[in-house]
Amino acid sequence: MRIKVISLFPEIIEAYFSASIMKRAVEKGLISYELVNIRDYAFDRHRKCDDEVFGGGPGMLMKPEPLDRALAAAGSPELRTIYVTPSGRLFNQVMALDFAHEENLILLCGRYEGIDQRIIDTRVTDLVSIGDYVLSSGEIAAMVVIDAVYRLIPGVISHESLSEESFSSGLLEYPQYTRPAKYDNLIVPEVLVNGNHAAIERWRLKASLIKTLAYRPELLQNIDLTSELGRLLKEVIDEGGGHGPHTADSSGTNSN
Ligand code: 6GU
């Protein structure tokens, strides 16, 4: 996948691309990236990229001309062009998977109060928000989107890690433990240590349900209550499950 990020502050993003798993994916040739400074496409004497809002109102808006030229040079709107903005569609794992299928992605980061609507109308294909809160600029949001997407590209990380994690099943991930099995008086649930794989599987599914019920009950809305999973959910509810991890028996240790 070729990723282009269009920003007034590409140096914020550079460090992210040159570290850790992302760095390895670039070295393996699974990803290439280009950071485009919008100011390089501002051709007036002061390389001005923002201006006041027509009709009045606070703050400054990003001007259309530099954005238009930078995006055209990057290949928009023929290539998928994501503008990260708090007024976009709420980003989720399904959208991340969709974007992961693209050969090319362009991410546009806004600053100030946003960008001129004509750029959205002519060059943007997707408006994406990463959550119901406001950030001071789009760079961090663009990195969130890129991170969620690139790790789904085959070869970047192992497939087992992908299929077990939160959201891939529609449920939150079950609690996990590593050695030692007993740390002070904190003990790993017996079932996980004993090696009965069917019992472990059942414990994990139930623990996932308990956790999802506690933190994200809306994720359970579409579960068919007559299915195997639905019956287990009913069991969890009947047992008064769905409390968080800071209450007794949080991890469903009595649930095998
Ligand atoms: Cl994508 N950008 C900004 N500036 N704020 C946000 C956001 C994006 N998503 C949530 N808040």
Side-chain angles (χ1 to χ4, degrees):
M1 175 185 284
R2 282 179 293 274
I3 303 171
K4 290 174 189 159
V5 189
I6 318 287
S7 159
L8 279 172
F9 297 91
E11 64 275 16
I12 295 177
I13 300 162
E14 176 62 43
Y16 162 72
F17 274 98
S18 39
S20 189
I21 303 176
M22 178 55 104
K23 181 183 184 183
R24 221 178 320 136
V26 171
E27 284 167 356
K28 280 202 227 168
L30 298 168
I31 288 168
S32 67
Y33 69 95
E34 188 185 330
L35 306 178
V36 177
N37 192 333
I38 297 164
R39 211 168 291 283
D40 293 343
Y41 292 86
F43 297 150
D44 66 298
R45 212 155 50 84
H46 296 104
R47 303 232 249 155
K48 191 173 159 67
C49 289
D50 61 330
D51 211 331
E52 292 161 358
V53 183
F54 272 124
M60 302 288 270
L61 218 54
M62 287 170 75
K63 288 167 61 61
E65 310 95 309
L67 285 174
D68 192 45
R69 290 189 282 251
L71 286 166
S76 155
E78 287 76 22
L79 304 182
R80 201 85 181 262
T81 304
I82 303 165
Y83 172 44
V84 285
T85 164
S87 62
R89 269 173 68 205
L90 202 55
F91 188 55
N92 62 25
Q93 193 68 14
V94 174
M95 290 160 80
L97 261 169
D98 176 29
F99 294 146
H101 288 116
E102 297 287 338
E103 268 302 304
N104 293 276
L105 275 188
I106 300 171
L107 282 113
L108 171 60
C109 309
R111 281 257 160 177
Y112 318 115
E113 296 301 309
I115 70 175
D116 189 285
Q117 181 64 35
R118 290 167 290 184
I119 296 300
I120 296 173
D121 295 341
T122 58
R123 298 229 174 254
V124 170
T125 60
D126 299 84
L127 293 165
V128 172
S129 167
I130 63 160
D132 291 336
Y133 42 79
V134 178
L135 305 172
S136 53
S137 74
E139 279 77 12
I140 292 170
M143 286 190 276
V144 167
V145 172
I146 293 166
D147 198 280
V149 169
Y150 92 93
R151 59 192 295 290
L152 300 175
I153 295 169
V156 173
I157 61 172
S158 88
H159 272 281
E160 298 84 75
S161 346
L162 288 183
S163 59
E164 286 290 304
E165 68 195 8
S166 290
F167 298 113
S168 58
S169 66
L171 299 176
L172 302 187
E173 195 169 56
Y174 45 79
Q176 299 186 93
Y177 304 85
T178 184
R179 279 187 280 264
K182 185 173 183 302
Y183 172 63
D184 289 341
N185 59 347
L186 303 171
I187 297 163
V188 173
E190 185 68 25
V191 58
L192 299 179
V193 188
N194 280 348
N196 177 341
H197 289 291
I200 290 171
E201 196 73 358
R202 190 176 152 75
W203 183 92
R204 285 180 165 169
L205 189 56
K206 196 158 175 182
S208 275
L209 283 169
I210 290 170
K211 201 166 157 187
T212 310
L213 193 60
Y215 290 133
R216 299 293 305 278
E218 77 279 10
L219 295 177
L220 300 171
Q221 265 165 9
N222 296 324
I223 290 182
D224 173 7
L225 287 173
T226 64
S227 69
E228 179 95 38
L229 187 64
R231 279 201 303 278
L232 202 54
L233 173 60
K234 218 175 144 294
E235 209 175 296
V236 166
I237 294 168
D238 290 345
E239 288 166 9
H243 42 62
H246 299 295
T247 54
D249 185 36
S250 60
S251 47
T253 43
N254 68 346
S255 62
N256 51 348

